[in-house]
Every structure is written in C-alpha cells, then in structure tokens.
Amino acid sequence: MSHNSFGHLFRVTTWGESHGPAIGCVVDGCPPRLALTEADIQPFLDRRRPGSSRFVTQRQEPDQVRILSGTFEGLTTGTPISLLIENQDQRSKDYGEIKDRFRPGHADLAYELKYGIRDYRGGGRSSARETAMRVAAGAVARRVLEGVTIRGALVQMGDDRIDRAAWDWAAVEENEFWCPDRAAAARWEQRLLEARKSGSSLGAVIEVVAEGVPPGLGAPIYGKLDADIAAALMGINAVKGVEIGEGFAAAALTGEANADEMRMGPDGRVIFGDNHAGGVLGGISTGQPIIARFAVKPTSSILTPRRSVDRFGQEVEVLTRGRHDPCVGIRAVPVGEAMLALVLADHLLRHRAQNPDAPGEARLPRN
Amino acid sequence: MSHNSFGHLFRVTTWGESHGPAIGCVVDGCPPRLALTEADIQPFLDRRRPGSSRFVTQRQEPDQVRILSGTFEGLTTGTPISLLIENQDQRSKDYGEIKDRFRPGHADLAYELKYGIRDYRGGGRSSARETAMRVAAGAVARRVLEGVTIRGALVQMGDDRIDRAAWDWAAVEENEFWCPDRAAAARWEQRLLEARKSGSSLGAVIEVVAEGVPPGLGAPIYGKLDADIAAALMGINAVKGVEIGEGFAAAALTGEANADEMRMGPDGRVIFGDNHAGGVLGGISTGQPIIARFAVKPTSSILTPRRSVDRFGQEVEVLTRGRHDPCVGIRAVPVGEAMLALVLADHLLRHRAQNPDAPGEARLPRN
Amino acid sequence: MSHNSFGHLFRVTTWGESHGPAIGCVVDGCPPRLALTEADIQPFLDRRRPGSSRFVTQRQEPDQVRILSGTFEGLTTGTPISLLIENQDQRSKDYGEIKDRFRPGHADLAYELKYGIRDYRGGGRSSARETAMRVAAGAVARRVLEGVTIRGALVQMGDDRIDRAAWDWAAVEENEFWCPDRAAAARWEQRLLEARKSGSSLGAVIEVVAEGVPPGLGAPIYGKLDADIAAALMGINAVKGVEIGEGFAAAALTGEANADEMRMGPDGRVIFGDNHAGGVLGGISTGQPIIARFAVKPTSSILTPRRSVDRFGQEVEVLTRGRHDPCVGIRAVPVGEAMLALVLADHLLRHRAQNPDAPGEARLPRN
Amino acid sequence: MSHNSFGHLFRVTTWGESHGPAIGCVVDGCPPRLALTEADIQPFLDRRRPGSSRFVTQRQEPDQVRILSGTFEGLTTGTPISLLIENQDQRSKDYGEIKDRFRPGHADLAYELKYGIRDYRGGGRSSARETAMRVAAGAVARRVLEGVTIRGALVQMGDDRIDRAAWDWAAVEENEFWCPDRAAAARWEQRLLEARKSGSSLGAVIEVVAEGVPPGLGAPIYGKLDADIAAALMGINAVKGVEIGEGFAAAALTGEANADEMRMGPDGRVIFGDNHAGGVLGGISTGQPIIARFAVKPTSSILTPRRSVDRFGQEVEVLTRGRHDPCVGIRAVPVGEAMLALVLADHLLRHRAQNPDAPGEARLPRN
C-alpha cells in the first residue's frame, strides 16, 4: 500500500503539512556506499524553491534540507535516509476565509468528504509544498542512476507552444520558465505578467527526458515502466494528462508512420530511426531516451470570485488572496524530473533483482 | 511489488501466454457473500472477444471462462477467485519469420534485452490476449461497485473525432466501434475497411466514464485516484497517453475558465457547475462522474515492410502477416472499462479500511 | 498486501479449496533462463502426497502438477509461472455433520465469524491441501537457490524427542516420518499406530536447515530474515511455535555461553565456533547454516467427541470421522522445507536489488 | 516491500541510528478524527526508556517525542503522522575498539558483509534504540484499538520461570522486571545484580496478551494473524523464538487434550473451555484473548573476552565495555506490547476493507 509512499524497492515516504513545523521524507532501499551529503540535494531544491522569482509564490522558504540518518562519513549505508526541511514562513495570517469554505479546484471539499477533518492552513497536506520532498528524494535517486541524464522543460504555457525546432537545452537554465525556446520565453514573460496583474492564472505542459537509461527497465504486465511514469506524473499536484513519446498524437498516425525502424550501430547497439515510442516498448525500456509530457491545469487560486459552498451547506463566494504561483506549471519542472528519477531508480533495482546480470546493454547478439 | 498483479486490496494477478495452454487470473481480496457465477463474467468477455466482427482479429477463441475457486453455491467466500480460459486457436503456423526478428513497435526487442529469452509465438506474454483476464477480473470488480455505472466509448479513430454534441450512449452498443456518434461510426467503417485492405492500421482515443462513484475514494499523496487510473490505462497494450477530465486542454484554460463552481443541491449534496476536474480533486473523488481518456497507437502489425534487426545483429525487413486488429483501439474499450472498475473497487476497499463509516456521501453539513 | 500471496520479489499467490475442481498457484518474479519442467517439481509433491503411507490421510490424490505458463522450451522466461493440480478424490460424502457445526481446533468458527460464509467441504480453503502448492512453488524456488541445500526432519513426535547425537540425514529418507534418528523412528511407529487405532492424534516438532546460504540475506528492520522465516513457518497449518538457532533455550543461557566465537578460515571466510544464532545476526544471514524449528499441534480431527456449537447457536457434540493424518507434523516436513526455500529465494532477489555486487561471500577483508 | 516499514494499512516506517542526530518514524494510514497528542505517546516511551532503573542501560535519554505532522487541533487527520525523538546522550567516546572488530552475537559482521559499510557507533541502525519508535507507533495503534487491552509480562529470566498460579497483573507495574509473580521478581533481582556485577547477562521470555480483540482479524493463507504476530515479535532485537497459545508444548499434547471445547454464552457469544489456541484458529482471531510469547537471548555485550575477527581478516579478542542492559528482555516487554498493537491495528483495517460490516461480534446465529 502506498498512500504516502512512492516506489517499491527504492521507496520514498513523505510527510508534512504546509503550515506544520516541518516536512520530510524517508528514502528506503538506497544502495550502500554512494556519496551523499546535503550538498548533493540542495541545488535541486533551490530550483523548486518558493520566492525565487517574480513568477512563483512569494512565500519565503530557504528550504534547507538536513540528512538525519542513513549516511555515515558522507556515504549511504543502505539504511533509511531521513530528510527534513523546517517550515519557516508559516505566515500567521487569518485563515478565516478558507477555514470553512471549499475553494473550487482545490482539494478542500474532497478532504472534508473523505476524512471529515482537514488542516486548512495553506492547503495542509495537499499543498504543493509537499513536492519539495519529491525533489529532495529525486536528488538521491539521481545518485543511483549513474550515467543517466534527466532534464525537463516547459513546452507550452497557456495555449502558446514552443517551436520544437528552436529547442536548446542551454536556454532552459537562462529563463525563469525552464523554456528551451528563447523566443517563446520572451512571449511568456509578457503573458504571465498580465495574468499575475489580473489575478488570473495559466496552465502549462512540461516535457521530461531521460537519456542513458539502460534497456530492460520495466516489466509486464502491471509493472510497466510507462504505466509507472504515468502514475508518477499524474500524481503531481494539478496534473491532468500524461503522454509517453508520441502520446495523443499517435492516435492520428498510421501504423507505417508510427513505426520506429531499427538498424545496427557499429558497436552492436540497435539504432532507432525515430522515437515515437518514447523509449518504451511493451512496458520495457529499449535504450532510447525516455520522453514523457504532462499537462498542468491553471492555478486554482485566483482573484476572481467563484461560487462555492461551505462546511455548513451554505452557498458562498470564494476568491483567493495570498501568495500563489500564477502558473504552477513552472515549478512543476523540477518536480517532474524528480518523479522520473524516482521511477527509474526503482525500476533499476527491480530489474537487477530478477536479472542478476542486469543492467544489460542493447548489444546484439546477446549471449 | 506488482509486476503481474494489479491493485492492493482488490488485487488481480494474471498469467499466461498467447499460445500456451491457457490464460488465467487470481482475484484476491474480494468481499464475501457477493453473487458471482460465470454468467456474470462471460458477457464482458464476449464484448472483447476476438473473431467477433470484421474489424478485429480473426483468431477464433470462444473465451469461455471457468471459476475454479473462491465461490460456494454461487456466492463469493472471501478467498481467492481463480479464473481460467483455455486457449483454443493456437494456430500451428510457422513462426520462423518472427522467431529471431524484432517487429518494430512490438515488445520483441525489449523482452529479448530484458530477459534474454522470449516466447515469440503470438507475442507470448505481451500479446493483447492477456487483456481478456483484465476484462474478466473487471467483471468481478463490478460486483463490488454496487450503484456505480462504468461505460466506455471510442471518441476518435485516426484523426477523426466524434461530435460530442451527438453523443448517445445507446449508439455505443449499435455499431462495431463502441462509437457514441452514429455519423462518426459510419465514416469510421469506411475508413477502417480501407486500412484493412491496404494492410495499414489506425490509432484511436477511448473515453471511460464512471457514474455513481462515492466521494472520498483515493488518497494523498501517492495513492491518488487519478494517478492510479493513469497507471491502469497507460498499462493497457499500445496506450501512449492518458487524460483525466479536461486533460491536456486544461493547459490552455485560464484559472477562471477551469474552475468547477459549486452550489448546494436540495438534498444536501454538492452540485458542480461543470466537471473540468473529471471527478477528482487532490487525488480524491468528489462524487462527480470520473472521466478519463486514453490514446491507443495504431496497430504495429502492418503489411508494409519495415527495417529492423534480428537476434544475431543482422539487419532485416519485417512485415507482419497473420490475424491482427486494424485498430486495436476498438477492443481496448471493454479493457479500459475493466481497468477503471479495478481501480475503483480497490480504492473503495482502501477507503473503507481507513474510514470505518465510509463510503460517505457528498452531503453537507457532515457531522 | 498478501492475504494469499507470499514473498515480495519471488512472489507466490495460491488459490483453491479442498473440494473444488483444482488448486493452483502463480509464481511471479522468477529469474529467466532457469531450467524448469514438471519433472523438477513432481518429486517434491510426491513427498507430501496424501495416501503415500499408513501414517497420512488415505485420500487418494496423484497430485500431478501442470505448468500452464512462464516457461518456453524448458526454460523460465521471467513471466509468471502458473501451476495447477486437479483435485481427484473429492469423495462425494455427506458433509451434513460439519456443514453447520464448528469443529474444535479447526478454522470453521473463525471463517464463519470473519466471512459469514464458508466452503465446509473438507475444510475448504483452510485445508492442508493448500500446502501442496507451497511445495510446488518451493521446488521452483530451489532452482533460484543454486548451491543452497535445504532439508528438513522430524525431531520430536508427541513428547518423544530424537537423540541429536544419533542424527543421520541418510536416515531421514528411510522411514515414514522423515526422522534422522533410526531408534526414535522405530519408537514413533509403534506410538503412531496406537494413536491411529484409538482415533487420537499427536503433535510434532520439525527442524529445517539451509546450508550454503550466502551472507547478507535479510534486512533491517522489518525485513529481517529470521522474522520472515518465523512468519513463513507459523503460517503453516497447525503450527504454534517457531525457533531460530538456539530458540527458547537461549533464554536460559548466559551471554558467554551463547556467544558464537569467530576465527578466520584459510580462505578468508569467517569460521564460527558454534551456531547458537542459527545463521542469522541482526536479521541478516552470516553464511552459517540457517536453522529453524517449528511445533505442530496434534491433528484436531479426532474420534473422541468434543463439545461445540453450531451456526444456529446450539450446543452440539462433534467427532470427526473420515480420512485424516494422525500426526499432521509428518507431512509438514516438506512444507517447512518449501517455505524456507521461498523465504530465501525472495531475500536473494531483494538483496541483489539493493546490492548490485551481491551475493557477496563471507571473505575478509572485503574488496 | 518492507525493509524498514511494518504493516500494510496501518503502516509504520522507522529511521535513525543510535548515534545520529535523531530517530523517528512515519505512521501512515491512521484513521482520522482520533484524539492524539504527545501525551498519549510519552507514557509508553517512559516505560521503555534507558536510564530508568538499575537494570537497564545507563545511557541518559529523555526520549521526548514530538509530533511533526498528521494531527490538527489534537485530532488525527488521516495524513501521515511523523514522530521524532532527538538523541541526546551520544557519548563522545572512543569507538576505536569496535570500529573494525565484529562483536560476537551482534549484527556487526552481518552488516559488513551485506553493505560493505556500517555506522559502528553504538550499533548504528541495529541498536535497540530503534525500538523506541516501535513503542511510539504502538501508542498510536492503541488509539485505533478501542476496547482492546494489550499487556505484557516477563515470565522467565534465565532459567527461572514464574509460578503461573501466582500471576497478578497488578504486580507487573510494581517491580523493575514487569514480573507478574512477586516471589519470582524478588529472586530475579538478586540474580540480575549478580550478573551485572560479573559482567555477564541473562536471557528472558516475555508473554504478551491482547484482550477484547474482535473475531475475524487475520486472513488465510499468507496474511494469518499468528504468522504476522510471529514476524512482529521475531523481528525484535535478540528474539530467537515465538509461540502462540500452547506453543511448543502443543507438540506433546494429544488431540483430545489440545481441543478448546465451545459452548454458548448467555448473550450469543461463544465461550471456550480453554485457550490452547491462543485466540487464533486458521490464522483468524476467534474473540478469545490473543496470547503470544517470545524468547530473548542474553545480551551479547559482556565483559568476558570472546574470540572474534576484524575487518582486515585478523583474529582478535572482543569484550564490550560501556552501557548495556544485563537482560535486554526487560525492556523488550513494552516493545512486544507495541508490536502486538501494530499487528492488531493493521489487521483491523485490513478486515474492515474486505468486510464492510466488520468488525463483527462472536454472536451466533449471525445476522
């Protein structure tokens, strides 16, 4: 069971509420003798951090992570790694407005109906603050994935898509949107300033890519790599759609157009003519880059009043003041990378368990 | 761990290869004292059965299911339910063509690289034949979901989408495509005949809907209902994308447009003005209909030769003769329904465990 | 969750009732390319088979196992292995006597209170017949455990213990009790004939030993090898106690007497002066033989009437006619071996997953 | 997978080393709206606390627990409960003696062979300090088990057993050994003072009892209540044997003597004449008290030198100075109670999930 745990062999359990004293996670199953200190984790947290630009929530959180267990003299020991971040900026504001009211698009009503109780302060457990621990755990997962490069980018904001021909990974680190197309980034800046000004919000699409993934990760039938990636990405706050490779566009292709033809490379590795599959066939990695995309809905916290109800069954109007991301999709980029890293690290261990000579290489003939 | 098992408390383990003596599954965790005989399962299998129309594979399989355990005098006993279907039409053809060659778009290469061995006959374990057991297990799940209606429909074939204004559930049972739009069904018939004739294939998009789902199913953070639905649907053979509610279109909406406003119904239930969310907020059902869509790629088995490689590292050409579905998306409709049923049954049990007075109702005020 | 599944990575799911059409299991997670046919499994089933001697139930079951999936041309493929045994001798007797009555010491009342329904024929799911599938699965596990020898023996029948100084593994295969002490076997024969004659029954203690187990199997804190062995053995029908190494006798030793001193062997392996620990320290194997014992209560089915109640709340007398083992402990020997094999195979895979260079050897210094 | 997690639906993940900055656990799956503050947990920790008497380690740890998440205004919210205890008395001693040496009977060698690295300070992860978190989690489990009373007692120290006829639960809280027999407690005091003086150590047997457990908890075949209790108790540090009900003594009884006869009570509940079964039949609770015992080996840390080896393959002598329990069995009493509580809370939730009208009562006729 995994209500607050993710993964099977490389397994992460997170805890904590937006306005509690701290948030944290336990990373269990990490292989021993990997170099790991706070300095390996902090840079990834800094990429996701609130207060880091004009376009994300102004809540001030240094998000300094501490390792409380599972390492010794800078190396992992194979025992559970406990990570903790203290909450700093639990603004002592009056929550009267949302204490009893259910904000449309938020988890408020759902939690109330499920549990009959909820920590309403800042969204409690359903706050995007929890994703900090995913990013922290993802940084540990990257240590396991030696030779694998995992990167993400925003490829659509609102209805404005990037020009894929202009894709430059270097551009991703240069703008505040993780946008690989410099022209699009310039347009988005304008657009997002307008949205923020009007108290509105925008959705987004993120693409995450993993290169250097060994073939053989994933498993039939209910441990498919793409199915686990789908769950991992759909489970990020505000995500409403997930694609692998060609994704929904595959529906409009013919079988001939969709085929990824193969030939032999000089070193015995299979070379694919294309990657409609997104690196996964039959639920198992082929050695091609893993490519996935996910759609993030526009932030539900907006300044325009919306009709809703309260805990007492009364009809009310709700508008959300306070510190919010006008496009939560932006901060979802490092989170999406982290989730992909977690899935891959878990499947690397799962593959190893059943296949003692794994990870194999895509060389033919095998023997 | 769940390589061949699905679900946690309502848990299905499937086994079997396309050309082995039989396929089967074990359904564990089913509540006791539910009425269940083969007659409750067979109708759903008949909807998915090969050989049932011009537009699906001509392999002849009666797919008669037998219950081997877990019921007594027509009632479930709470012990594992073993279901078995004997394979009949394992055509004793010559598999020489694909024995050593990797068909593009199929799992052949991936299995070879993962396991170093594969049952190549009919695709072995990766054959869509396995989905018969999902449908059978889904029929059992429906017994658990009293009061819930789960239906599916094909909403796009190739690049041709239905007119949603013309949606009629009654139409779904009238055509060979599970298409809710009669005009679209007529167009698709023409199109698919052409594809079959030319040895090509088409992709599709399927929509599945569950009505009557009680609020409170699903759980933060890594047991989210929508994340589990995403994995369930992405894990169906040939699926490349999954959406909940508004899906990818949500990225292009503003926060105001995407808000599902709420008001009180006369009976204390919350009424939503719209359902962009697809029935899930914060990973938890709200009582609205659950709506999901998934994209199926065009069948990879086509008559046009494609370049590939073989086990010995030689470059070859592959074309796939034999019995195949020109649009595997069609038979994915009952499979998608079944997967949704499995997720919901599992989450109903998970919810009950933690919330003794569950399933609740969407009535306010609670107390 | 594991109500009818055992193990995590090497995972067995069993199904079937005593008087249903068949019993079976699915073995998931088995490594690929291991030689496996029915002939590898059948000998172990024959050791447990009913009707095989005067001292076990006279039910006639050939217990012929069939492999329905997961192998190809005599090798495992890495996909789930489905095993099935048809029930033959479901004697069409009148079950009126136990249909509504709860036999003391049996699961009848417990199932009724839990499920509100039970298949009373032959004990249904709670019948020891289910253990045939454990033995079958255990035979598959042995394929994974190359180099490991797993054996069991009966070391106590009723209150009569063997003389450990007389232990001879060769004797175990010579008598009908798997007794390693020939003199004890002779005494037990007499004793058991008397018990059978008087319709009484006897308990027993079984010892199982695994030699050649690599060090490093097991894991802190809740995946301890000895804890998993304890669950595995306690879960066998009629078992009431489990010991590792010195077991309960350890309570009466001093720390000095209980210490297993170590010295270096010529090959860099650690040699232990004794094995009070039973091969496990801190939940992890040390390379010494794993030694466990379990106590089986006397068969609850006896000819002497006992007071009980029925489904309607009436007080009744129950005596159990029919075919029963006067000492179920005898047939528990191959079952105990199988459970130990299942635990070890699972832990071997679990260890491999986290420790890519595992299984290690007990050589010092490492690397 | 559960290397550092315990339970399925009521699930505890612990982390931390003996000499790290803190130890902690995450309790996931707890039902919402239960009253819970630190004051509900602390008393149980105080019973296990080091430094609390002459007969336990003199390490000074206040063991003040903090709740970091999962409660709101004194009630559980259904989200994960994070508990944390800071380590205070990590005595900055010289660990040179055990840094490279393997103490006989300890986990030192096993960790080295498994992981190739270990935090040797105070035993690291294998320290009994981890059991503090079991006790803390067990206190939360007790909140779930309304109406159930769980108690434990030391029934044997060294080879000296209590007189069961003298059992008085009131006595348990009066002496430093949790001994229910006042005369035995007096003898043990003398004995333990001697052992401490000579740097020796003693083993023990603990009995834990749960009263008020509803019938129906536990499940066939691999989710048996007694099997899970066996794993829970065997997984406590230094435990070598576990018994349910009659335990090993059952082997020496006849079927007649071992039968727990039943009759009807005035209220429709079944009354048992005896409890050889220890409250469990067929792996399922019957409503009788659950009774289990476990054997704890003598503390391995002793002052008498023992032969051993070091990391470099050299033969050495080891004796363990420092702060140790002369009989670790004493502090295992609250730990055993906690583990029993964890198993029962987990099974209560598991039972509820499958049986919506559960927990039932042992009334006949049902319905």
Side-chain angles (χ1 to χ4, degrees), chain A residues 59-254:
Chain A
R59 176 171 174 168
Q60 294 299 323
E61 289 288 353
D63 277 358
Q64 288 292 326
V65 67
R66 288 175 63 203
I67 300 177
L68 296 182
S69 68
T71 63
F72 185 59
E73 300 179 345
L75 297 176
T76 60
T77 60
T79 60
I81 301 166
S82 175
L83 304 177
L84 185 139
I85 294 174
E86 289 182 36
N87 288 328
Q88 304 279 353
D89 186 12
Q90 309 112 296
R91 191 177 288 193
S92 58
K93 71 178 239 186
D94 175 20
Y95 282 99
E97 275 186 26
I98 62 165
K99 177 169 184 269
D100 298 317
R101 297 171 177 212
F102 306 123
R103 295 167 296 165
H106 279 282
D108 302 347
L109 174 68
Y111 272 61
E112 180 76 23
L113 293 175
K114 183 176 186 71
Y115 298 118
I117 182 175
R118 69 197 165 91
D119 179 349
Y120 48 78
R121 301 167 304 162
R125 182 72 180 144
S126 70
S127 165
R129 182 136 189 76
E130 186 272 345
T131 60
M133 298 323 303
R134 305 184 187 214
V135 171
V140 181
R142 286 175 193 259
R143 303 302 299 182
V144 179
L145 297 166
E146 202 189 309
V148 178
T149 303
I150 297 171
R151 295 183 289 191
L154 209 70
V155 297
Q156 180 182 334
M157 182 182 287
D159 58 4
D160 187 0
R161 300 184 186 196
I162 62 160
D163 173 8
R164 297 188 77 90
W167 190 299
D168 180 357
W169 278 112
V172 166
E173 303 290 329
E174 296 168 7
N175 58 70
E176 294 166 306
F177 315 106
W178 319 109
C179 178
D181 168 0
R182 290 182 180 85
R187 295 195 305 271
W188 295 354
E189 177 163 0
Q190 205 51 41
R191 193 158 181 166
L192 205 55
L193 285 171
E194 285 163 26
R196 201 182 58 168
K197 203 161 157 189
S198 65
S200 182
S201 61
L202 295 172
V205 176
I206 291 101
E207 182 164 317
V208 286
V209 179
E211 292 164 291
V213 176
L217 304 198
I221 296 292
Y222 304 108
K224 285 182 174 170
L225 185 61
D226 40 3
D228 281 0
I229 291 172
L233 299 178
M234 189 67 93
I236 299 172
N237 308 39
V239 173
K240 302 304 289 183
V242 179
E243 296 183 322
I244 306 288
E246 200 63 46
F248 275 85
L253 296 179
T254 62

